[in-house]
Amino acid sequence: MPLMTPSEAFVETMVAHGVKDIFGIMGSAFMDAMDIFEPAGIRFIPVVHEQGAAHMADGYSRVSGRQGVCTGQNGPGVSNCVTGIAAAYWAHSPVVIVTPETGTMGMGLGGFQECNQLPMFQEFTKYQAHLNNRARMAELTGRCFDRALSEMGPTQLNIPRDLFYGDIDVDIPAPSRLDRGPGGEKSLAKAAAILSEAEFPVIVSGGGVVNADAVGACTALAERLGAPVVNSYLHNDAFPASHPLWCGPLGYQGSKAGMKLISGADVVLALGTRLGPFGTLPQHGMDYWPNDARIIQVDADHTMLGLVKKISVGICGDAGAAVDSLMRRLDGETLACDATKEQRTARIRDEKASWEQELDEWIHEKDEYSLEAIDKAGEGFLHPRQVLRELEKAMPANAMVSTDIGNINSVANSYLRFEKPRSFFAAMSFGNCGYAFPTIIGAKVAAPDRPAISYAGDGAWGMSMGETMTCVREDIPVTAVVFNNGQWGAEKKNQVDFYGRRFVAGELENRSFGGIARAMGAEGITVDRLEDVGSALEKAVDMQMNDGKTTIVEIMCTQELGDPFRRDALSRPVRHLSKYKAYA
Ligand SMILES: Cc1ncc(C[n+]2csc(CCOP(=O)(O)OP(=O)(O)O)c2C)c(N)n1
Ligand SMILES: [Mg+2]
């Protein structure tokens, strides 16, 4: 076995896994390894804040399907990553976080930047390796990279800083790739039987379809059944939007056409989705989930089967392999739904046309608060829905789009359509403001030839805009759209609906985001006329792709607000103490 230092073994194992980019901020704790990144062909991308590095690794892995890597100095550099790793966990992103730790002789003595770094990631990792002996550096590094992909989630490699040094004899382990199968024979046979009896089958295409590269397989099965396909919440890229069977996303601010169609299903094939609780909440006043339908759920993780929704059969398998197996089982069979294919095609077409027309006519929100806000705003402030429609029309082919958490970003769900998987990177179930911008930067590093566009509200933008400096310093051109409505709108909406419009902490007095962008060395465009929205996006994308420039497109919006996030989780306030009586 060749003689190496642990630093060399660490770097060589990453090279064996194809690592080309690592996001982070430098620190003495891992400097011995960082010193040889460049000759190993690894680019270290310094960021502004380590949370950004974790989000970038997430975006990188979501677009490439490979491991994204981030790191930071022990203690604060590492703890700064917690939110980003939590977000990656709920996005099912194979991110490897390398956390150098206090040296073995200092642990427990309360030294500089000393802390126990495993518990803080315990909740948000699929696997944690602690290097207890320098001779195991290659083994545990390799395992973290393998497990991130096999379990589709973050893993942590925790390395006491003194263990980078020394001599070890070691072979670099080859990456291992899981060969995933379609699932069990019995469950597949039962599912095929249920499908062949279905009168009105509907397919839910989720993130597992994207991760399994199974959009083609899903399309073939949908066509065989003539079944409408809805996207699970925030997986709008799990089926091509131009396909006649595509019916749009379920969930918050999703497609009414998709919801109406699934509400009439007698069989639902839930492909690569855990049917998460937030993503199937009632919307647009519709409780659309078909409680009496038979549900077939396919998920690579058996613990997701039947976890949230009652199911008739659960298949633990790869979405693509399971669909291929179902197709073979249905081959040559006459299905109950064959006779009604034409009527169902017509119904799908009509529901979609009526939803598109409703979206075209839904220019602004019409509740009392929004009407007053529109009145107050006057000239120079745009209706978010109209802005989102214009952006949709101007969206370049092959675009990657990330979205943040906020009211306008949520409304955007109705207007984001994709032809290709690995194109949409929303902040998923962890739901942290500040997600979108660093995530799109990471995606751009993995796919520099694709246009990269992030959406964020002005509040979320404030949390993340510092990474504009990363784009400028590191030549990673992206386009950021900022919806400037002068408020933390999504939360303020709860004060409108539940707290008697007692506005506490919801207003944002902003300086010019275009001006701030220019001060950071990027381009800035401020849009206050509807007719300029599309051309501003086109210009920014042109500068991104042809001049290597990052542009912040700030769009001035009214304070009107769409439906709230969590009507389900809020109650009217009750006050018992007399001094708070007015606050009920
Ligand atoms: C890190 C974090 N802090 C707080 C929240 C709670 N929160 C959810 S949406 C929101 C308001 C977002 O405001 P903005 O980004 O301006 O978008 P808008 O709702 O105005 O469109 C807040 C504070 C959160 N989701 N994440
Ligand atoms: Mg806002």
Side-chain angles (χ1 to χ4, degrees):
M1 289 196 284
L3 174 70
M4 297 181 210
T5 67
S7 282
E8 290 170 316
F10 167 63
V11 171
E12 282 297 297
T13 308
M14 290 199 290
V15 169
H17 281 268
V19 173
K20 297 262 182 294
D21 304 278
I22 298 180
F23 303 94
I25 293 180
M26 66 190 295
S28 58
F30 60 102
M31 200 165 273
D32 192 65
M34 192 176 71
D35 188 46
I36 54 170
F37 283 174
E38 198 190 314
I42 296 174
R43 176 184 180 194
F44 187 82
I45 298 173
V47 301
V48 171
H49 186 288
E50 290 90 348
Q51 181 182 334
H55 288 318
M56 288 176 210
D58 182 356
Y60 185 97
S61 72
R62 290 180 77 177
V63 72
S64 67
R66 301 194 310 271
Q67 300 95 335
V69 190
C70 62
T71 191
Q73 176 72 335
N74 61 312
V78 166
S79 64
N80 273 352
C81 293
V82 172
T83 297
I85 295 300
Y89 178 84
W90 285 108
H92 309 287
S93 299
V95 168
V96 178
I97 176 166
V98 180
T99 59
E101 197 177 69
T102 307
T104 51
M105 290 305 288
M107 281 176 189
L109 303 182
F112 187 55
Q113 298 173 329
E114 186 200 326
C115 62
N116 188 350
Q117 295 177 166
L118 293 171
M120 60 173 110
F121 293 100
Q122 194 172 359
E123 181 91 5
F124 308 118
T125 43
K126 295 284 188 179
Y127 174 72
Q128 296 177 292
H130 174 74
L131 194 72
N132 57 352
N133 189 305
R134 56 174 56 80
R136 299 186 69 188
M137 180 69 100
E139 175 204 342
L140 292 176
T141 303
R143 191 154 304 133
C144 280
F145 278 82
D146 287 340
R147 291 285 285 271
L149 268 189
S150 65
E151 303 214 17
M152 288 309 289
T155 60
Q156 179 185 7
L157 176 61
N158 197 52
I159 308 171
R161 55 188 296 167
D162 53 317
L163 301 190
F164 282 101
Y165 305 98
D167 295 332
I168 55 175
D169 292 309
V170 67
D171 284 325
I172 301 301
S176 86
R177 284 289 169 276
L178 200 61
D179 182 19
R180 296 175 198 272
E185 179 61 32
K186 274 185 274 184
S187 53
L188 284 162
K190 189 171 172 193
I194 292 175
L195 281 178
S196 68
E197 290 161 13
E199 307 268 348
F200 196 90
V202 174
I203 297 176
V204 182
S205 186
V209 173
V210 173
N211 290 340
D213 291 325
V215 173
C218 176
T219 309
L221 181 59
E223 287 171 359
R224 171 68 186 88
L225 299 171
V229 181
V230 297
N231 305 114
S232 69
Y233 182 54
L234 298 180
H235 288 291
N236 301 18
D237 57 351
F239 201 74
S242 62
H243 195 285
L245 293 171
W246 170 82
C247 297
L250 293 183
Y252 187 35
Q253 296 287 357
S255 155
K256 267 193 194 174
M259 294 176 207
K260 281 189 190 158
L261 287 161
I262 201 173
S263 71
D266 64 339
V267 170
V268 173
L269 174 61
L271 265 186
T273 166
R274 64 192 177 93
L275 299 171
F278 187 68
T280 49
L281 282 179
Q283 264 304 292
H284 306 302
M286 266 188 279
D287 197 355
Y288 54 84
W289 189 256
N291 288 315
D292 297 329
R294 287 192 286 176
I295 314 288
I296 302 163
Q297 188 186 7
V298 180
D299 203 292
D301 177 355
H302 74 96
T303 64
M304 296 300 131
L305 297 174
L307 178 68
V308 183
K309 293 286 182 205
K310 206 171 82 198
I311 59 174
S312 300
V313 53
I315 299 169
C316 175
D318 173 82
V323 168
D324 289 344
S325 167
L326 290 171
M327 281 292 275
R328 278 195 297 277
R329 285 159 205 266
L330 299 178
D331 193 34
E333 300 281 318
T334 305
L335 312 179
C337 65
D338 283 343
T340 58
K341 219 170 185 172
E342 268 172 39
Q343 289 108 287
R344 288 181 295 125
T345 308
R347 178 152 174 230
I348 292 165
R349 196 186 47 227
D350 293 349
E351 291 292 7
K352 282 170 64 170
S354 102
W355 173 232
E356 287 311 312
Q357 192 184 341
E358 189 174 341
L359 278 180
D360 281 335
E361 289 164 4
W362 197 348
I363 285 168
H364 61 81
E365 307 300 346
K366 300 196 178 80
D367 58 282
E368 198 185 317
Y369 167 80
S370 292
L371 292 175
E372 283 172 31
I374 292 164
D375 235 22
K376 203 175 75 189
E379 283 291 293
F381 295 92
L382 313 180
H383 299 304
R385 282 187 178 273
Q386 278 191 308
V387 168
L388 293 165
R389 199 58 154 173
E390 291 301 308
L391 291 170
E392 178 198 339
K393 288 186 213 151
M395 198 55 78
N398 203 20
M400 306 183 283
V401 181
S402 66
T403 56
D404 221 291
I405 295 291
N407 193 273
I408 300 176
N409 276 254
S410 301
V411 174
N413 192 22
S414 287
Y415 305 88
L416 286 166
R417 292 107 192 264
F418 300 93
E419 291 306 311
K420 272 180 45 171
R422 302 194 183 282
S423 298
F424 184 33
F425 315 116
M428 309 305 285
S429 303
F430 196 61
N432 64 299
C433 288
Y435 178 86
F437 185 53
T439 298
I440 208 67
I441 297 172
K444 182 73 178 180
V445 172
D449 298 337
R450 297 181 64 185
I453 297 156
S454 66
Y455 285 6
D458 48 346
W461 180 245
M463 286 188 197
S464 50
M465 67 181 177
E467 297 299 344
T468 305
M469 290 191 282
T470 302
C471 298
V472 172
R473 287 169 180 156
E474 295 298 310
D475 280 329
I476 309 168
V478 301
T479 300
V481 178
V482 180
F483 303 103
N484 185 351
N485 62 1
Q487 60 186 356
W488 294 100
E491 293 296 355
K492 210 174 118 180
K493 175 69 175 158
N494 296 319
Q495 296 172 324
V496 173
D497 289 350
F498 289 88
Y499 292 92
R501 299 198 192 180
R502 291 187 294 278
F503 295 135
V504 183
E507 305 301 318
L508 289 169
E509 213 193 287
N510 297 313
R511 296 294 175 266
S512 158
F513 288 120
I516 296 171
R518 285 189 287 275
M520 286 194 280
E523 302 292 315
I525 303 175
T526 300
V527 178
D528 55 11
R529 299 189 321 169
L530 187 64
E531 57 268 38
D532 296 339
V533 171
S535 54
L537 180 68
E538 280 158 9
K539 183 169 175 214
V541 169
D542 180 58
M543 288 194 283
Q544 178 191 149
M545 302 309 292
N546 298 317
D547 309 326
K549 282 189 178 161
T550 291
T551 304
I552 306 333
V553 180
E554 171 189 25
I555 303 182
M556 306 310 293
C557 294
T558 74
Q559 292 202 317
E560 69 196 271
L561 288 165
D563 252 13
F565 266 103
R566 298 308 307 270
R567 192 176 270 134
D568 64 303
L570 282 144
S571 306
R572 300 244 153 256
V574 175
R575 314 290 176 204
H576 294 302
L577 299 180
S578 57
K579 65 180 185 181
Y580 302 129
K581 279 286 183 225
Y583 293 77

